[in-house]
Amino acid sequence: MLNPLKVRKILKKGVPATAVVQSMTAPPRGASKFNLGMTLHVYVEGRAPYEVQDQWLVSAKAPLGFGMRLPVKVDRTDPTEVAIDWDAHMVAQQEAAEQRRADLAARGPVDGPPPASTAVEVDGDPDLGARILEALGGAAASSPDDSDDTLARLERLAALRDAGALTDDEFDRLKGEILGG
């Protein structure tokens, strides 16, 4: 775990990168800030991706989940020292939420529930299907303009598979739904 001074230094002078949450410990209840153990896959331009396991100070307000992309900075001399840019993460999450709301509002009035094609049943467990759909952000992407969203959904789906929540067959079936095939 990095001390706050080191975090500030890395955020100021570090190399910009992206990290994807692979696993994390359970946060304590009721805390506004806490140390959270996570495994991150770090992607720095011009370098091979690598994995870092550590603890990071996290605000309870920060949206966080498996497969989520985080803006990070990497220490120039020690790439295992990674600082998460929580301010940038919160701004990106807010912008994504606003875009989702705008997209939803643009669909106009509806005459009932979403189409049945958004239902996902996994081994007869509709609750698991609903949780997977929620993790994927809803139904499968339907247009080329959704390529970033499709990639994010596929990454979250892969994280669920890697965490053991999905079998390879379930992963393949759901991936096909996301890709529209």
Side-chain angles (χ1 to χ4, degrees):
M1 183 171 96
L2 301 174
N3 70 48
L5 295 174
K6 182 77 172 180
V7 168
R8 277 189 243 138
K9 178 182 173 190
I10 294 172
L11 287 174
K12 186 174 181 180
K13 298 182 178 182
V15 177
T18 300
V20 177
V21 178
Q22 300 301 308
S23 67
M24 59 188 181
T25 59
R29 292 182 175 245
S32 60
K33 285 193 174 188
F34 48 87
N35 287 328
L36 185 68
M38 291 189 285
T39 300
L40 304 176
H41 284 179
V42 180
Y43 299 87
V44 180
E45 189 173 327
R47 296 185 190 169
Y50 60 97
E51 186 172 280
V52 174
Q53 290 180 317
D54 206 342
Q55 289 188 0
W56 286 268
L57 185 61
V58 179
S59 168
K61 295 178 185 178
L64 194 58
F66 298 109
M68 186 168 273
R69 294 173 162 270
L70 299 171
V72 298
K73 297 256 180 115
V74 176
D75 186 285
R76 292 182 183 278
T77 59
D78 184 355
T80 64
E81 292 189 359
V82 176
I84 299 171
D85 188 343
W86 292 111
D87 292 337
H89 176 63
M90 295 297 283
V91 167
Q93 291 301 305
Q94 182 62 34
E95 289 171 354
E98 289 171 7
Q99 185 62 50
R100 282 192 313 271
R101 288 183 195 111
D103 291 347
L104 189 59
R107 292 181 182 175
V110 295
D111 295 330
S117 64
T118 61
V120 176
E121 294 233 359
V122 180
D123 293 333
D125 183 350
D127 290 335
L128 178 58
R131 290 193 312 268
I132 291 169
L133 251 183
E134 180 179 280
L136 294 174
S142 58
S143 73
D145 295 335
D146 296 334
S147 62
D148 289 342
D149 188 42
T150 300
L151 179 59
R153 289 179 183 174
L154 289 171
E155 288 173 342
R156 288 188 296 242
L157 186 64
L160 288 168
R161 180 200 56 203
D162 295 344
L166 296 174
T167 66
D168 287 336
D169 291 338
E170 291 165 339
F171 170 80
D172 290 338
R173 184 174 58 81
L174 293 169
K175 180 176 76 172
E177 288 181 21
I178 291 171
L179 296 174

